[in-house]
Amino acid sequence: MELRQVEGREVPHCASCGFIAWRNPLVATMVVVETPAGIVLGRRGIEPGLGLWCLPGGFVNEEEDPREAASRECAEEIRARVEIDSLLDVYHITRGDGRGMIGVAYTGHLADGEAPSAGSETTEVGSFKLDALPELAFASHRRAIADWNTRHPPADGPNSGAD
């Protein structure tokens, strides 16, 4: 493989077969899970962001619909069935290693009878009011929560103080 200019971008190219190794972004999901007690967050038990808090979510597998991946990731990270309500937004994310990602953010709620608990990549799970959020691992999660907050009047959101 050698670098070559293709469509204005320098990309790895195989001179013998013509293969071009496009650098496409990874796709990940995140879910703002709404509960009467606040937004559900998990404390990360892995890097990146070990020990910090995050929305449940993760990478979309090649065969998955992003909405299904969001639901699966919730089951893995907060050990609860989450019903996805709506698309919140789509974000371009630059990872720490400089690679690009697409973050697909959803809103959701716990399915009837579900209670979140620590999953395979989290050490603990909690529900937080907006005025008491812990330090978050990812800027994209802060942005998704801020965007979610602007679309929910305080009387309806987890920052209302009502139980």
Side-chain angles (χ1 to χ4, degrees):
M1 301 285 275
E2 56 190 41
L3 293 178
R4 175 179 166 197
Q5 285 288 326
V6 178
E7 297 178 7
R9 294 175 45 187
E10 194 170 85
V11 293
H13 171 265
C14 178
S16 62
C17 73
F19 175 77
I20 299 171
W22 293 104
R23 294 184 187 117
N24 296 317
L26 298 170
V27 179
T29 64
M30 61 192 95
V31 184
V32 179
V33 180
E34 306 170 44
T35 72
I39 294 172
V40 177
L41 299 174
R43 186 186 293 268
R44 291 183 60 80
I46 61 170
E47 292 290 357
L50 178 67
L52 299 177
W53 294 83
C54 66
L55 294 169
F59 291 109
V60 177
N61 294 326
E62 187 174 315
E63 73 284 356
E64 279 183 308
D65 177 277
R67 183 181 288 259
E68 292 168 1
S71 183
R72 174 186 53 77
E73 286 287 346
C74 287
E76 291 174 9
E77 293 189 0
I78 64 170
R79 294 212 190 279
R81 258 184 327 109
V82 170
E83 295 180 9
I84 303 300
D85 295 323
S86 64
L87 176 68
L88 176 62
D89 213 331
V90 177
Y91 305 97
H92 180 266
I93 302 165
T94 303
R95 295 177 7 162
D97 62 6
R99 293 197 57 201
M101 285 179 41
I102 300 298
V104 183
Y106 294 99
T107 62
H109 65 277
L110 295 172
D112 288 343
E114 293 291 305
S117 63
S120 60
E121 297 178 355
T122 55
T123 58
E124 65 180 301
V125 171
S127 295
F128 298 88
K129 302 286 187 190
L130 292 179
D131 60 359
L133 291 176
E135 185 177 0
L136 298 176
F138 307 113
S140 58
H141 291 202
R142 287 189 294 276
R143 186 169 163 202
I145 291 170
D147 289 346
W148 175 84
N149 187 42
T150 62
R151 297 173 191 170
H152 289 76
D156 296 333
N159 199 30
S160 66
D163 289 336

